[in-house]
Amino acid sequence: MIDRRDTLILAVNAEAPDSATIARAAEFLRAGGLVAFPTETVYGLGANALDARAVAGIFAAKQRPATDPMIVHVAAPAEAARVAADLPGPAARLMDRFWPGPLTLVLPRGAAVPPIVTAGGETVAVRCPAHPVALALIRAAGMPLAAPSANRFSHTSPTTAAHVWHDLAGRIDLILDAGPTAIGVESTVLDLTASVPTVLRPGGVPLEALRSLLDAVELASEPGDGEPLRSPGQLERHYAPRAELRLFAGPDVAVRAALHQAALTALAAGRTPALLLATEDLPALDLPGVPAIAVGRLTEPAAVARQLYRALRDQDRPGVDLILARAFPEVGLGLAVSDRLRRAASRVIACG
């Protein structure tokens, strides 16, 4: 049983966080506590990355397996040297272009980082977030922060303080509420210790942007059985709602027909389905008794990414036991959207 006081939640201005609120949150971190805070991607659950006992608190609060490594957050590119033993090849160019921002770099682990942070591995994932609250908190605490997403393990990631409260109230010390996050999916994770820079998790920096800067970038294959994870977000099952999620992929007309039939079949079987759609799907899928949410247009992947987790949580409402979702084009942030939906789904159904 986790022995925590009631979780505090403090509002903070997203653009100009007041120093007193940030100082109070930093006190919790220096005392070994757990603080949820906003980043530009999702809300993170932070602890002192250099304190193994504090990091263990994150694992306990989230019910996260010790085999899943965490990302270490720093307040400036120069601070990467505190947690990394070396900055390989293109690290400096990538930091200059994308930090602060939604890019995590996998680097050789520095001696100051306890192995619990990296799941025992010899590499460490590091990023500098582009959110004024996150940066102010790291600076005030005076330490790098280990910070996975602030949710129960494998559940849909949080993009508002209310999502964090729903998952972790009573299990952490403090939540800083700065409103909804801007990007809505986690950072891109790029492994610079591989022979060719390799994307371990697609995210807030599109693959196309990385390829415009680097001569070669590869997409990682799924880890093999028993192979250590080098990054969060590599588990086959992740980001999932409580309800079963089925993902439909293929040509638009075929996807809409399959979603329509699947919803009718579910209703006939006594199930309670809900739909997760593109804006263009709504006219064809206006079904009585089946709630539908559109997360954006097929041609606007950034808007879809921003709304994805909120929509998944909204559709994972009491009584709903099946979410029927459409796949989105894998362009720009659409690649990250596709990755999250695929990992959340119990089945991926090819249409057409």
Side-chain angles (χ1 to χ4, degrees):
M1 187 72 178
I2 296 175
D3 183 18
R4 292 274 173 200
R5 70 197 79 187
D6 291 339
T7 299
L8 299 174
I9 183 164
L10 298 177
V12 59
N13 187 292
E15 297 301 324
D18 68 280
S19 58
T21 301
I22 295 298
R24 189 173 184 187
E27 288 176 7
F28 279 110
L29 292 168
R30 285 194 294 271
L34 305 181
V35 174
F37 62 94
T39 77
E40 75 279 23
T41 57
V42 300
Y43 273 72
L45 179 59
N48 182 354
L50 308 182
D51 180 346
R53 184 173 179 179
V55 173
I58 295 178
F59 282 98
K62 284 176 57 72
Q63 299 177 311
R64 181 185 180 98
T67 53
D68 196 10
M70 297 184 185
I71 293 172
V72 175
H73 293 65
V74 297
E79 294 181 11
R82 293 186 66 183
V83 295
D86 185 30
L87 299 181
R93 279 187 293 146
L94 289 160
M95 291 177 184
D96 184 63
R97 172 81 173 271
F98 296 112
W99 282 14
L103 177 66
T104 294
L105 300 178
V106 175
L107 307 166
R109 179 173 65 88
V113 178
I116 188 173
V117 173
T118 65
E122 292 305 314
T123 60
V124 62
V126 187
R127 92 172 181 104
C128 178
H131 195 293
V133 173
L135 293 172
L137 180 62
I138 298 167
R139 292 180 186 126
M143 63 187 67
L145 298 182
S149 55
N151 58 317
R152 295 288 184 104
F153 178 71
S154 83
H155 192 211
T156 307
S157 296
T159 57
T160 68
H163 295 162
V164 180
W165 180 269
H166 182 269
D167 277 18
L168 298 177
R171 305 177 69 85
I172 64 177
D173 295 296
L174 174 66
I175 302 169
L176 291 174
D177 180 0
T181 61
I183 293 177
V185 293
E186 296 82 355
S187 62
T188 299
V189 179
L190 183 67
D191 187 356
L192 295 185
T193 68
S195 57
V196 175
T198 301
V199 172
L200 302 181
R201 179 182 73 185
V205 172
L207 179 62
E208 296 90 338
L210 294 175
R211 286 179 168 161
S212 72
L213 184 68
L214 303 179
D215 293 334
V217 180
E218 294 183 351
L219 276 173
S221 56
E222 293 297 315
D225 291 341
E227 182 180 345
L229 300 179
R230 301 173 70 80
S231 161
Q234 289 191 287
L235 293 168
E236 182 178 359
R237 177 75 168 160
H238 210 27
Y239 312 109
R242 171 195 52 81
E244 177 189 359
L245 189 148
R246 296 179 189 170
L247 181 63
F248 293 76
D252 292 339
V253 172
V255 164
R256 290 166 191 150
L259 285 166
H260 187 277
Q261 185 58 53
L264 295 180
T265 299
L267 289 170
R271 302 194 68 173
T272 309
L275 294 166
L276 188 76
L277 306 173
T279 302
E280 295 92 333
D281 301 324
L282 288 174
L285 289 162
D286 183 12
L287 299 172
V290 182
I293 289 180
V295 292
R297 303 188 67 82
L298 293 168
T299 54
E300 299 175 352
V304 172
R306 188 161 50 250
Q307 298 298 326
L308 177 65
Y309 288 147
R310 176 200 58 78
L312 278 174
R313 284 179 175 262
D314 286 351
Q315 292 298 61
D316 197 23
R317 63 188 71 183
V320 169
D321 61 6
L322 177 64
I323 299 173
L324 305 171
R326 71 116 70 238
F328 288 82
E330 295 186 355
V331 176
L333 292 190
L335 182 62
V337 169
S338 177
D339 174 80
R340 305 311 189 267
L341 285 171
R342 179 174 56 82
R343 294 183 191 278
S346 61
R347 292 174 56 191
V348 178
I349 299 163
C351 308

